[in-house]
Amino acid sequence: DAGVTQSPTHLIKTRGQQVTLRCSPKSGHDTVSWYQQALGQGPQFIFQYYEEEERQRGNFPDRFSGHQFPNYSSELNVNALLLGDSALYLCASSYEKGIHEKLFFGSGTQLSVL
Amino acid sequence: AQSVTQLGSHVSVSEGALVLLRCNYSSSVPPYLFWYVQYPNQGLQLLLKYTSAATLVKGINGFEAEFKKSETSFHLTKPSAHMSDAAEYFCAVRVTGANNLFFGTGTRLTVIP
């Protein structure tokens, strides 16, 4: 049983560009959350998707947007990249009915903005 | 508002020694508390969680944590450190009704042979 898979594993972009990161949740999971982990920091919540809608959002600008597909996979899009967007982006999946249970995290996408 | 504070960004212990990683939380309502571990180039793995049941929570790999409401603490301990415990450890809080976790800044544990 595959866990949470993210692609790509590494990405290099330049300022002003746009990027799309992808996440496939663990089998049986229907909820996807995205976190940004800057170097030396803990993960920060970006947003969560459930039933193809953004259910909750953290303190991130509108340049960060997402999508969830009918198969529960998800994308994170970041427009007009800034140097400060360089970070490890983590996807986590869970099962809505098991909200009190643990999140399963992917290994992340390391984004470098030059 | 809710937050967690991890005291000590770096902790070094000798192999076989006690591991103590500190976490204090701030929450206006009873929280759910978590400890996660992150190995290099990997995602986060849940060690244990507190969800208002027993105050002493046992997790994987011999770790445990005690919820102390009077001290607003949820410190992580392990009686005897192993080399494989070297990693980054994150404390996190989630309040009832919220769907996201608030993470601390992490503590890097080094185990000295």
Side-chain angles (χ1 to χ4, degrees):
Chain A
D1 175 28
V4 180
T5 58
Q6 294 186 241
S7 63
T9 55
H10 294 83
L11 203 53
I12 299 175
K13 292 287 187 178
T14 57
R15 282 179 298 173
Q17 286 189 313
Q18 179 265 343
V19 68
T20 297
L21 310 182
R22 296 176 175 82
C23 172
S24 293
K26 180 179 171 61
S27 178
H29 285 187
D30 56 7
T31 304
V32 173
S33 302
W34 287 92
Y35 287 80
Q36 180 195 65
Q37 186 178 12
L39 189 64
Q41 300 295 316
Q44 284 194 293
F45 175 71
I46 302 175
F47 42 54
Q48 183 182 81
Y49 277 84
Y50 173 67
E51 292 188 337
E52 302 180 48
E53 292 191 356
E54 182 182 294
R55 177 160 67 175
Q56 186 172 345
R57 188 180 184 91
N59 188 26
F60 279 80
D62 292 344
R63 298 187 297 108
F64 289 76
S65 63
H67 189 77
Q68 185 179 35
F69 300 93
N71 67 352
Y72 308 119
S73 66
S74 177
E75 289 182 348
L76 164 65
N77 301 291
V78 186
N79 295 321
L81 284 167
L82 303 174
L83 295 180
D85 295 331
S86 295
L88 179 67
Y89 289 84
L90 295 167
C91 172
S93 73
S94 58
Y95 176 53
E96 167 63 11
K97 297 302 182 185
I99 193 64
H100 298 303
E101 299 302 320
K102 60 182 178 180
L103 294 178
F104 285 81
F105 281 84
S107 297
T109 294
Q110 184 66 55
L111 172 64
S112 298
V113 182
L114 306 179
Chain B
Q2 51 281 321
S3 66
V4 290
T5 301
Q6 293 185 241
L7 298 177
S9 58
H10 291 86
V11 171
S12 293
V13 300
S14 297
E15 189 175 15
L18 171 71
V19 176
L20 170 61
L21 304 182
R22 301 178 185 274
C23 173
N24 288 88
Y25 70 90
S26 172
S27 175
S28 56
V29 296
Y32 296 113
L33 294 161
F34 305 81
W35 275 99
Y36 281 85
V37 61
Q38 185 176 37
Y39 297 101
N41 302 315
Q42 294 188 27
L44 280 74
Q45 179 183 5
L46 181 70
L47 280 176
L48 49 80
K49 63 182 186 290
Y50 167 77
T51 56
S52 74
T55 57
L56 182 62
V57 181
K58 295 187 182 298
I60 62 171
N61 301 338
F63 284 94
E64 64 181 36
E66 186 173 7
F67 173 71
K68 293 186 177 181
K69 184 177 180 180
S70 61
E71 299 177 7
T72 61
S73 69
F74 191 57
H75 301 331
L76 181 71
T77 60
K78 182 174 181 178
S80 177
H82 192 274
M83 295 299 295
S84 61
D85 295 327
E88 188 92 20
Y89 291 81
F90 292 94
C91 181
V93 63
R94 181 172 71 81
V95 297
T96 307
N99 297 307
N100 61 295
L101 297 176
F102 290 88
F103 285 87
T105 53
T107 297
R108 181 169 299 278
L109 176 66
T110 299
V111 181
I112 304 168

